[in-house]
């Protein structure tokens, strides 16, 4: 097919451009396609991980409502699966709290302690880690390990936990026979709790200890 001079100039210019930039252009196209495929793959992986974690969480919740040693084994197995395979999932920290509560209710204090100790080291959910420290202090109190229990409550309490931490510290001090220090801790809790209904319980502790 014959081309006029203008068309031939355009074809020659296109050939020259392709010879200069064609390889780079193809590389850019492939890079974009690969990035898109990678993004879609990551999205699928995240969704798959979330679904898997949700499955273990639901299994843990179901086991927590059932009696017997088999249920305890399932609770621990589901929690271990969440911690080992899905530590960054939002289901994991909540699942560990559920497991700890269920084990504590079954008087498996060592099991509950192990769950809570893991959560206090987890950095993905600071608020739940603060809850874990409070509950761990309670488990250690039940095990009469007073100094480790107090250690969980040291430092500046996380926002919103000042009253609860002070209340638990008072419980531990009272168990140690340090009545005056316990009352001071409970008074500190009252100031922080304000109109919270929990303040009434704290006041009853103070009254009972002063009455004794």
């Amino acid at each position: 097919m014959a081309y006029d001079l203008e068309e031939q100039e355009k074809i020659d210019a296109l050939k020259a451009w392709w010879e200069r930039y064609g390889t780079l252009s193809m590389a850019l196209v492939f890079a974009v396609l690969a990035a898109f495929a990678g993004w879609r793959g990551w999205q699928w992986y995240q969704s798959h991980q979330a679904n898997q974690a949700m499955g273990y969480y639901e299994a843990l919740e179901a086991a927590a409502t059932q009696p017997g040693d088999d249920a305890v084994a399932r609770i621990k197995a589901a929690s271990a699966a969440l911690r080992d395979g899905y530590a960054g999932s939002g289901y994991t920290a909540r699942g560990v709290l559920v497991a700890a509560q269920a084990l504590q209710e079954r008087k498996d204090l060592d099991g509950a302690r192990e769950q809570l100790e893991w959560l206090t080291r987890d950095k993905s959910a600071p608020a739940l880690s603060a809850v874990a420290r409070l509950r761990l202090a309670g488990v250690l109190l039940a095990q009469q390990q007073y100094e480790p229990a107090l250690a969980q409550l040291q430092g500046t309490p996380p926002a919103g936990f000042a009253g609860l931490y002070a209340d638990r510290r008072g419980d531990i001090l009272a168990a140690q026979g340090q009545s005056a220090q316990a009352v001071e801790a409970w008074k500190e809790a009252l100031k922080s709790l304000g109109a919270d209904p929990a303040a009434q319980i704290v006041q009853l502790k103070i009254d009972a200890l002063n009455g004794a």
Side-chain angles (χ1 to χ4, degrees):
M1 181 181 292
Y3 298 100
D4 61 28
L5 182 59
E6 183 179 354
E7 290 175 333
Q8 189 62 48
E9 287 178 347
K10 290 180 180 179
I11 292 171
D12 291 341
L14 181 59
K15 287 180 179 179
W17 183 91
W18 183 257
E19 288 175 358
R20 186 172 182 181
Y21 299 110
T23 302
L24 177 61
S25 297
M26 291 300 295
L28 289 174
V29 169
F30 281 121
V32 170
L33 291 175
F36 178 73
W39 176 77
R40 289 299 300 270
W42 177 248
Q43 291 288 96
W44 176 87
Y45 174 77
Q46 290 286 81
S47 176
H48 176 72
Q49 289 290 94
N51 287 335
Q52 291 288 98
M54 181 176 67
Y56 282 115
Y57 177 78
E58 290 176 346
L60 195 160
E61 276 197 316
T65 64
Q66 299 168 357
D69 293 338
D70 288 345
V72 171
R74 289 195 296 273
I75 290 168
K76 292 182 177 180
S79 177
L82 283 170
R83 288 180 288 158
D84 294 342
Y86 311 93
S89 167
Y91 289 104
T92 301
R94 287 183 288 161
V96 170
L97 281 179
V98 171
Q101 181 66 30
L103 293 172
Q104 187 172 358
E105 289 173 354
R106 290 163 170 78
K107 310 302 180 184
D108 184 355
L109 296 182
D110 287 335
R113 177 178 175 178
E114 189 262 336
Q115 302 287 330
L116 294 169
E117 285 177 339
W118 181 90
L119 189 49
T120 61
R121 298 189 296 268
D122 180 44
K123 305 301 181 184
S124 65
L128 294 184
S129 180
V131 174
R133 285 174 56 194
L134 181 65
R135 293 190 182 180
L136 179 55
V139 170
L140 292 166
L141 170 59
Q143 293 182 318
Q144 299 183 353
Q145 298 190 36
Y146 304 125
E147 293 308 318
L150 287 172
Q152 294 298 324
L153 308 173
Q154 288 179 347
T156 303
F161 285 87
L164 297 174
Y165 273 42
D167 176 35
R168 184 56 49 82
R169 190 164 59 250
D171 294 343
I172 298 166
L173 291 168
Q176 288 180 296
Q178 301 181 41
S179 301
Q181 293 92 327
V183 169
E184 287 304 312
W186 285 331
K187 287 181 178 178
E188 179 184 338
L190 286 178
K191 292 179 182 178
S192 297
L193 290 171
D196 191 298
Q200 298 178 14
I201 299 174
V202 176
Q203 185 61 56
L204 288 174
K205 293 178 184 178
I206 295 173
D207 295 342
L209 195 57
N210 286 335

